[in-house]
Amino acid sequence: MTSLTATVVRLKLSLLRGGLRQSAGRRAAFVASAVVALLFALLQTLGLVALRGHAHAEAVAVPGTAVLALGWAVMPLFFPSGDETLDPTRLVMLPLRPRPLVRALLAASLVGIGPLFTLLVLVGCVLSVAHGAAGYAVSVAAVVLALLVCVALARAVAAANVRLLTSRKGRDLAVLSGLVIAVGAQLVNFGAQRLGSAGLGQLQPAADVLSWVPPASAVGAVRSASEGSYGTALTQLALSVAGLALLIAVWARSLTRLMTSPDGSTLQALDAGAPDRTSSAGLRRLLPDGRTGTVMERTLRYIWRDPKTKAAWVTSLAIGLIVPVFNAVQGTGSIYFACFAAGMLGIQMYNQFGQDTSAFWMVALTISSARDAHAELRGRALALLVVTLPYATVVTVLTTALLDAWDRLPEALGLSLALLGAMLATGAWTSARFPYSIPQEGHKNVAPGQAGLAWISIFGGMVAAALLCSPVITLTIWLNVSADGDAWSWVLLPAGAGYGAALTLLGLRLAAPRTAVRLPEILTAVSRG
């Protein structure tokens, strides 16, 4: 009888070949990504090998292995559709036992660019700390163990969360990937700067701890064996073996549960005919009456429920916080970086109607005059302010505290509020003048043929907002260069807030009649794609 492991490995290879045969574009993307990944892995390997003989080589190799394992653990959560074989529910109808299936899937998991990338980096990690015959002998077992732990960790996490990951709420976890990448990039940048100034020795305490945590303990065993501490090396290898056995046991248990218990699709939901209106009523009580409150509630629900809208908000919230705070922590920041918070969230006012896509026709049916359009735009702007005003204030205060520049808080907050008002005003106008469609499927944010409209709408509006803020910017510069300007800097807070509010009201008033007149064109533009 054909081995199950060989069959599943061939199935994995068939899936890879089938995906590449779909189009030349997919083949080109696969080859390009493979080349880039392997070149990066080779450079990492060469860099690690170059650390041989360095006093703190272990301080890089051990934490590097831990970071690799962390990446394998979180990737299935953020990119559940990246590997179709991560979904064991596709095999639940087959007469397979969990234990043989675990062995087969573990072997199949070793096929791909990711495992090869990990293998190359692990080879570099062990070579950087290996010395002597004992060290090289332990290196072989360490690489195999570390690679198997990484793969088993990814499989165990995916199997334990597969029901969540294949649901809509689970797929929304991918929205957080942008946040994780943005924060991770800043952390790497911050760490690199600290290491550049203080040296690799700062990582040694972390390496000492991680050398007892699988799979980094396998690399720690190589260093111990190279130094003649064979008992310590054996203990560290045993920890990696125990970690691998535990992960496989958890994985097998999750597979057994998946293959023997029903999911939500086979169970009748209780009280299916009575929707829960508690959360809706609670939110509605906090909003004003009439059309304004209705529009605010609809907009806030779009932000929470629509994947594309949620992704845009999460990215804006992350960048608006990361840029000022991380620059302040690194000592290279400015109090004016706090304006990023208002600027990033102010962008969400652009293309308001395009965010509704084809559902905008239901909103269009309720707009018959400039007054109706004004109420619609006002409700959307107020919904943005519910989030943006406190967020921009908190980010500005936090940046001020990190820089210890409390005397400049009024001018920074005043500038932020003026910028927010300008972007709300220009966003309302460009939403009516340059609407475009946002495709619901795929990763594109602009429908084909409308890229020019998107550029004009967003970047043209941002330039206009910057020009509208010029009076407040001029006043800020004048007070900073004046001899007694510090005594009057507090004026910038009420001046910026009042000016921003006036710009918002004026922008909504000017955009409303244009929205009512151009309603058919707006409906046609946002319904494409």
Side-chain angles (χ1 to χ4, degrees):
M1 185 176 65
T2 304
S3 169
L4 176 61
T5 300
T7 301
V8 175
V9 171
R10 286 198 300 270
L11 177 61
K12 176 67 174 286
L13 294 173
S14 298
L15 287 173
L16 289 174
R17 286 195 300 267
L20 296 177
R21 288 173 180 171
Q22 290 185 5
S23 66
R26 292 194 65 166
R27 288 193 295 272
F30 179 83
V31 171
S33 60
V35 170
V36 171
L38 294 180
L39 284 177
F40 183 73
L42 288 173
L43 289 175
Q44 293 292 312
T45 303
L46 293 175
L48 288 165
V49 172
L51 288 175
R52 282 177 55 82
H54 193 280
H56 299 293
E58 183 187 14
V60 177
V62 173
T65 305
V67 170
L68 274 177
L70 179 63
W72 277 90
V74 301
M75 283 303 106
L77 296 177
F78 292 134
F79 304 101
S81 60
D83 185 356
E84 294 180 345
T85 62
L86 284 175
D87 184 3
T89 59
R90 298 172 182 266
L91 306 173
V92 295
M93 300 302 293
L94 300 177
L96 302 173
R97 293 184 179 275
R99 290 290 178 181
L101 185 58
V102 164
R103 291 194 297 269
L105 290 176
L106 184 61
S109 300
L110 298 174
V111 177
I113 300 174
L116 182 57
F117 174 90
T118 305
L119 176 64
L120 291 174
V121 176
L122 288 174
V123 168
C125 288
V126 297
L127 289 180
S128 65
V129 296
H131 298 283
Y136 287 114
V138 174
S139 296
V140 177
V143 169
V144 174
L145 272 176
L147 180 60
L148 290 177
V149 168
C150 289
V151 174
L153 179 60
R155 287 291 185 173
V157 170
N161 298 278
V162 66
R163 293 271 166 81
L164 171 65
L165 296 177
T166 53
S167 66
R168 175 170 178 174
K169 289 184 178 180
R171 287 192 294 269
D172 285 349
L173 280 173
V175 170
L176 298 177
S177 61
L179 176 61
V180 172
I181 292 172
V183 174
Q186 290 295 329
L187 287 174
V188 169
N189 181 38
F190 179 64
Q193 290 186 359
R194 292 290 300 273
L195 290 175
S197 59
L200 296 176
Q202 286 202 342
L203 292 176
Q204 193 60 50
D208 293 338
V209 174
L210 291 174
S211 63
W212 296 96
V213 178
S217 60
V219 179
V222 177
R223 178 61 181 268
S224 299
S226 300
E227 295 176 346
S229 303
Y230 302 120
T232 302
L234 186 61
T235 303
Q236 290 171 318
L237 282 178
L239 284 174
S240 291
V241 173
L244 178 60
L246 178 62
L247 288 172
I248 290 178
V250 171
W251 182 11
R253 185 174 181 178
S254 299
L255 283 178
T256 302
R257 186 172 63 252
L258 287 170
M259 299 173 76
T260 58
S261 62
D263 62 6
S265 63
T266 62
L267 300 175
Q268 185 174 4
L270 298 176
D271 300 327
D276 183 14
R277 302 182 185 276
T278 304
S279 60
S280 177
L283 176 62
R284 194 68 182 85
R285 283 196 299 267
L286 301 175
L287 301 177
D289 296 327
R291 176 166 186 152
T292 299
T294 302
V295 174
M296 290 180 66
E297 182 180 4
R298 176 183 3 111
T299 303
L300 292 173
R301 289 193 181 278
Y302 275 175
I303 295 172
W304 181 251
R305 293 181 177 179
D306 181 64
K308 281 289 182 74
T309 306
K310 185 188 294 186
W313 274 85
V314 168
T315 303
S316 297
L317 288 168
I319 296 177
L321 176 66
I322 287 171
V323 171
V325 169
F326 274 75
N327 278 281
V329 170
Q330 294 176 22
T332 59
S334 167
I335 189 67
Y336 302 113
F337 281 176
C339 294
F340 266 93
M344 291 305 301
L345 293 190
I347 293 176
Q348 304 307 317
M349 188 63 188
Y350 292 82
N351 196 35
Q352 275 292 305
F353 307 128
Q355 296 176 21
D356 296 353
T357 63
S358 58
F360 178 67
W361 72 268
M362 293 186 291
V363 177
L365 291 176
T366 66
I367 299 177
S368 58
S369 64
R371 183 174 182 178
D372 293 336
H374 184 267
E376 178 72 25
L377 290 169
R378 181 178 59 205
R380 294 174 183 248
L382 288 175
L384 265 68
L385 288 173
V386 167
V387 180
T388 307
L389 270 180
Y391 176 79
T393 302
V394 169
V395 172
T396 304
V397 172
L398 180 59
T399 305
T400 303
L402 292 173
L403 294 173
D404 195 20
W406 293 104
D407 56 325
R408 307 186 72 179
L409 176 61
E411 62 183 87
L413 189 54
L415 275 174
S416 293
L417 296 178
L419 176 62
L420 177 60
M423 297 194 75
L424 290 177
T426 56
W429 191 86
T430 57
S431 293
R433 183 63 183 84
F434 304 108
Y436 57 92
S437 177
I438 301 177
Q440 290 300 292
E441 300 296 332
H443 300 285
K444 293 183 178 180
N445 291 319
V446 182
Q450 293 186 328
L453 285 174
W455 279 87
I456 295 174
S457 174
I458 296 177
F459 292 100
M462 291 172 64
V463 171
L467 293 176
L468 289 174
C469 288
S470 56
V472 180
I473 296 174
T474 302
L475 179 60
T476 302
I477 295 174
W478 181 75
L479 288 176
N480 276 277
V481 299
S482 297
D484 56 347
D486 291 341
W488 293 95
S489 61
W490 63 269
V491 176
L492 288 168
L493 178 55
Y499 185 72
L503 286 179
T504 300
L505 294 175
L506 179 61
L508 295 177
R509 185 66 63 182
L510 295 176
R514 182 171 291 274
T515 301
V517 170
R518 300 192 72 250
L519 205 56
E521 291 89 342
I522 295 174
L523 184 58
T524 301
V526 302
S527 298
R528 294 183 57 183

